[in-house]
Amino acid sequence: MKRVSIILTAAMSFIFLYVSCSKILPRLPKDDEILDGPVDGLTSEQNRMFLRGDAAFNDEIFNQVKGLGPLFVNNSCGSCHAGDGKGHPFTTLTRFGQSDTTENKFLHAGGPQLQHRSIIGFQAEQIPVGATFSNFTPPANTGLGFFEAVSDQTLLSLADENDANGDGISGRPNWITIPHYSLIRPGSIDRGGKYIGRFGKKSAVYDLLQQTVNAYNQDMGINSTYEHYSTYNGQDADAEVSNQTVQDLVFYLQTLKAPMQRNQTDPDIQAGRQHFMNISCGKCHLPEMKTGNYPVAVLSNKTFFPFTDMLLHDMGAALNDGYTEGSALTSEWRTPALWGLGLSEKSQGGQVFLMHDGRAHSIEQAIGLHGGEAERSKQSFQQLNEAQKSQLLKFLTSL
């Protein structure tokens, strides 16, 4: 009898603890509520590589002993992309020195990126007199491998540089000189020794290897065998991060899952999507794309839903910072993907900071800043009634 009593007491204690903990501990978020996590279908070895890259991205915090600086912007990857989401104005980057398509004139003065912090004993950079500049809020990282897997031919088929169809929209790729260490993708199209960029606010980055290596070097002052020079004096420097770590981090970025839309069957969200398409937002923020052949098999020949055409568009005078990269003009910007938009505030401290520099504090403010090729769509949005605007904004928040 005593034994039965002990068992019952233990069982009741377990139930009490379970119920109590379930009330105290937060529930696990649903997949459509978070941006991080791998794409489905990775092999065991690929999952291990993903986890190593995850640790390098989110857990590695650099200091002076580990090679930070001497000039830098931040001391870790994750500090600019919390939860793999958008950055905050506190982590915004500044690029300077190029005002037209004839290359950067201020590389000798630390361009193109301002390292506004330094370790003890060194002087942080300042924007040189006469240099134009622009602020770039860090973007979300999820789904980047899908963009890398889209073929050049697909991008060129979407481009309409001379507005042949007369709709006022003339997207085009940014043709850039690629770094020596980037491997040219099969099917890449060469135009006078230049290739199509597809990452960055102006599409001035060729691939995720360039993005990763450049972030190590320009953002944290961390050298690798790929870019082995000091941002302080331009002199050759020993590698401070291994090639394996760089490749792991690249793979992590390639295989982060795509954001998932929420509440797709909600009638207001469905109506909002229709308004979005009716006012021609979908001509630049293309709802659907398809990848081509790609070394990571799970990303090959897949349809995905990013709401971007990955092309440059003239966004008008209000968004002309007088700074550019590659062959892009100063008022041209790569169409940002809208997937994950509704989760932005989770990584931006409970607020939203939209557009390339975070100047818009709501989706409606961001729409109001559209000009140039997007002027007609902006005006059409402003002519919607309040109920229609609310539905469209609800749709965007569901992405």
Side-chain angles (χ1 to χ4, degrees):
M1 191 71 179
K2 185 176 180 181
R3 183 178 180 186
V4 171
S5 177
I6 292 172
I7 293 173
L8 286 173
T9 300
M12 291 300 293
S13 297
F14 174 79
I15 293 171
F16 174 78
L17 287 171
Y18 176 80
V19 173
S20 298
C21 289
S22 66
K23 291 180 178 179
I24 296 172
L25 296 176
R27 65 173 177 82
L28 288 174
K30 299 177 182 178
D31 282 345
D32 62 7
E33 296 176 337
I34 56 175
L35 294 175
D36 56 352
V39 296
D40 292 332
L42 297 181
T43 66
S44 296
E45 175 53 36
Q46 287 174 331
N47 269 310
R48 286 191 289 271
M49 194 170 185
F50 178 91
L51 291 174
R52 292 196 302 268
D54 190 350
F57 190 92
N58 292 298
D59 299 340
E60 183 74 68
I61 299 175
F62 292 97
N63 54 33
Q64 189 170 348
V65 174
K66 292 183 176 181
L68 178 68
L71 306 181
F72 64 98
V73 176
N74 225 320
N75 63 351
S76 72
C77 301
S79 58
C80 286
H81 308 271
D84 291 302
K86 292 181 183 293
H88 187 274
F90 182 74
T91 61
T92 289
L93 310 174
T94 299
R95 301 273 176 83
F96 67 90
Q98 185 173 336
S99 58
D100 53 36
T101 60
T102 60
E103 306 301 337
N104 197 304
K105 303 297 191 301
F106 287 84
L107 295 179
H108 67 283
Q113 186 155 297
L114 183 72
Q115 282 88 32
H116 65 290
R117 294 175 179 161
S118 66
I119 62 175
I120 295 173
F122 292 83
Q123 184 67 44
E125 291 179 337
Q126 295 182 339
I127 299 173
V129 175
T132 58
F133 67 93
S134 186
N135 295 322
F136 291 175
T137 301
N141 291 323
T142 51
L144 296 182
F146 290 91
F147 296 135
E148 192 167 77
V150 173
S151 71
D152 282 8
Q153 191 56 54
T154 293
L155 296 180
L156 289 177
S157 72
L158 296 173
D160 185 14
E161 187 165 352
N162 299 311
D163 192 19
N165 62 6
D167 65 355
I169 297 172
S170 52
R172 69 182 187 91
N174 190 356
W175 295 92
I176 61 171
T177 301
I178 66 174
H180 66 88
Y181 52 78
S182 286
L183 297 176
I184 297 174
R185 287 183 296 270
S188 286
I189 295 172
D190 179 338
R191 179 178 287 184
K194 296 189 176 184
Y195 295 86
I196 295 176
R198 58 186 66 204
F199 297 107
K201 306 290 186 178
K202 298 250 185 197
S203 284
V205 177
Y206 178 71
D207 59 10
L208 290 171
L209 176 60
Q210 181 184 0
Q211 180 67 38
T212 299
V213 169
N214 187 263
Y216 268 127
N217 183 259
Q218 293 288 316
D219 296 357
M220 295 176 282
I222 300 296
N223 301 302
S224 66
T225 62
Y226 302 98
E227 288 189 4
H228 45 85
Y229 64 90
S230 169
T231 55
Y232 175 67
N233 55 23
Q235 294 181 4
D236 196 62
D238 293 335
E240 295 162 318
V241 64
S242 71
N243 287 1
Q244 183 62 60
T245 296
V246 171
Q247 293 296 333
D248 288 343
L249 206 158
V250 170
F251 188 79
Y252 171 73
L253 295 176
Q254 290 172 329
T255 53
L256 279 166
K257 69 180 180 68
M260 302 167 63
Q261 187 180 3
R262 298 165 301 288
N263 305 318
Q264 295 184 51
T265 59
D266 184 309
D268 282 340
I269 288 175
Q270 292 179 339
R273 180 190 175 100
Q274 192 59 54
H275 300 322
F276 181 86
M277 300 304 293
N278 288 345
I279 65 175
S280 298
C281 297
K283 288 188 175 181
C284 296
H285 293 285
L286 196 68
E288 180 179 312
M289 297 187 81
K290 187 173 182 179
T291 64
N293 294 323
Y294 191 64
V296 183
V298 295
L299 298 179
S300 289
N301 303 302
K302 294 293 174 64
T303 299
F304 63 109
F305 308 94
F307 291 87
T308 176
D309 59 5
M310 299 173 61
L311 299 174
L312 296 173
H313 292 275
D314 183 348
M315 295 301 294
L319 296 177
N320 186 340
D321 291 350
Y323 170 81
T324 193
E325 296 176 331
S327 66
L329 302 178
T330 54
S331 61
E332 287 183 320
W333 300 93
R334 174 185 182 267
T335 306
L338 296 181
W339 61 3
L341 177 61
L343 301 179
S344 295
E345 64 180 19
K346 291 189 174 183
S347 63
Q348 293 187 310
Q351 304 177 68
V352 291
F353 303 93
L354 305 176
M355 306 307 286
H356 66 274
D357 56 2
R359 71 179 70 176
H361 302 295
S362 70
I363 295 175
E364 191 161 4
Q365 278 188 21
I367 295 171
L369 288 167
H370 283 56
E373 296 173 41
E375 181 67 28
R376 292 181 190 175
S377 292
K378 177 183 71 176
Q379 292 180 4
S380 295
F381 171 78
Q382 293 169 341
Q383 291 165 7
L384 296 175
N385 62 44
E386 290 306 311
Q388 292 170 328
K389 286 181 181 178
S390 178
Q391 289 172 330
L392 195 154
L393 294 172
K394 188 174 182 180
F395 160 67
L396 292 173
T397 305
S398 76
L399 297 178

